[in-house]
Amino acid sequence: SDYNSDEMEECTDSYAEYVMEQYEEAKKSCKDPIILIEQRLDFSCYVPDGFGTGDCIIISDDTLHIIDFKYGLGILVESEENPQMMLYALGALKAYQMLYNIHTIKMSIVQPRLDSISEWEIKSEELLKWGDEFVKPRAEKAFKGEGDCVPGEHCRFCRAKAICRARAVTNLDLAKYAFAEPATLSNTEIGEILQQAQDLE
């Protein structure tokens, strides 16, 4: 198959092995943890129309564990304060907090092609506070087309990056260096150019 390879088999086996290890770990403190695969997670009470698909969720009494598999090779993704994982956790918490007294949220990103497993924990009350005080007001503004566009590293994942005025202005500002004599550029200016060169191109 054009869509399968030995490398993919190895990576998915590695991910499945990690999931089963976490499930066995959960059984040490809970006799009947539940494991859910490819769950739709609705966090629209924080982000209008917001939802995602959780690759794996393990619930063991007071702990909710979200596990995400990333097959990519280009960018190492960390779980610590990862907005995607935190939004998924909010969706999972919303779905299951009526059935379980969840206190701890654990988030893991498994990235076998970069030989990386990143894990992070947060208390449920901290996550809910982040959702209510940080996410909700910003998402409501953005949904109304209000607020400021702030270009940065995150732009690479944005579907509107090609037509974003704020990003274009930032990159055009960098283009001024094209008219400067190379000998007159400072180390700081060269650093700025190198940092944004790929975006500018």
Side-chain angles (χ1 to χ4, degrees):
S1 167
D2 292 339
Y3 304 104
N4 195 17
S5 67
D6 289 343
E7 183 185 26
M8 186 178 283
E9 288 284 339
E10 285 172 21
C11 290
T12 51
D13 285 352
S14 174
Y15 164 69
E17 189 178 310
Y18 176 79
V19 167
M20 292 313 298
E21 282 172 7
Q22 296 307 303
Y23 183 66
E24 289 301 319
E25 191 63 33
K27 283 165 79 173
K28 291 178 183 176
S29 58
C30 172
K31 66 174 188 169
D32 56 352
I34 65 165
I35 185 166
L36 305 157
I37 306 296
E38 293 292 313
Q39 289 295 298
R40 181 184 165 95
L41 300 170
D42 178 355
F43 46 85
S44 57
C45 58
Y46 298 97
V47 179
D49 297 334
F51 72 92
T53 302
D55 293 341
C56 177
I57 299 168
I58 300 171
I59 305 170
S60 51
D61 293 338
D62 67 346
T63 302
L64 170 70
H65 191 172
I66 310 278
I67 305 173
D68 194 44
F69 172 71
K70 295 203 180 296
Y71 188 64
L73 186 60
I75 302 163
L76 180 67
V77 184
E78 300 286 346
S79 60
E80 186 172 348
E81 296 184 347
N82 182 298
Q84 178 196 6
M85 295 296 286
M86 291 171 77
L87 287 170
Y88 283 11
L90 283 171
L93 195 57
K94 179 185 164 206
Y96 301 107
Q97 67 184 350
M98 294 285 281
L99 302 171
Y100 299 89
N101 191 19
I102 298 166
H103 296 295
T104 303
I105 313 291
K106 185 174 177 182
M107 291 167 248
S108 300
I109 296 176
V110 181
Q111 213 166 351
R113 294 178 79 200
L114 291 175
D115 198 25
S116 171
I117 296 174
S118 175
E119 299 176 337
W120 185 60
E121 284 186 14
I122 187 172
K123 293 296 176 192
S124 57
E125 57 267 23
E126 289 178 59
L127 181 70
L128 292 168
K129 183 179 179 184
W130 176 78
D132 287 327
E133 296 179 10
F134 183 84
V135 176
K136 198 171 185 175
R138 284 166 175 79
E140 285 171 357
K141 260 185 154 181
F143 201 73
K144 292 176 190 170
E146 299 170 359
D148 299 319
C149 292
V150 182
E153 279 286 306
H154 48 272
C155 292
R156 73 179 125 192
F157 301 111
C158 182
R159 282 187 241 167
K161 67 182 177 184
I163 57 169
C164 176
R165 182 178 299 279
R167 184 168 173 263
V169 167
T170 299
N171 285 332
L172 285 172
D173 187 50
L174 184 67
K176 68 186 178 197
Y177 294 123
F179 302 101
E181 286 295 321
T184 65
L185 293 176
S186 70
N187 286 342
T188 304
E189 290 170 329
I190 291 168
E192 285 176 27
I193 293 167
L194 291 174
Q195 253 185 337
Q196 287 181 251
Q198 193 174 355
D199 243 10
L200 181 61
E201 187 182 350

